[in-house]
Amino acid sequence: MFKTIVVGHGGSPNADPALAVARSMALREEARIIVVHVIEITAGRGGGQPLYLDEDERRAILDQHVRALNSEGVQAELAVRQTVLSGPAHVIADEADKENADLIVVGTRGYSALAQVLVGGVTLRLLHLSRCPVLVVPSPEQK
């Protein structure tokens, strides 16, 4: 049923449960996984800088996850994209469209429903933008 699964992953442990669910599905369905990491750039007069200072560490963690998936027999790749204004949800949805993904898997940060609305969470936005199904995996704190 699923041939291509896109996983939105920010490089933090909050997204690991979503990656684990995608891994299980990919093994069962013999699907490939594309882990999408979006680097948000803050723009100013002096140029742009990544929103998170630890982007190199985040990239190393994601590279490690993708290598582990491949060693387990899951065809996996990492797609690192940058955005200034459109936000991560747009980039993840666009990547899913480009790859003809059957499913997007994302996690949540454990915010309350009100905080999600006020903060404008990536997951909530992705539910409105995606042309394919979105599976939302709750963080361990939400269970």
Side-chain angles (χ1 to χ4, degrees), residues 72-95:
E72 294 173 353
V74 175
Q75 180 187 352
E77 61 188 79
L78 176 61
V80 178
R81 305 290 182 256
Q82 291 185 356
T83 186
V84 176
L85 297 175
S86 65
H90 286 274
V91 176
I92 294 167
D94 288 347
E95 191 70 22

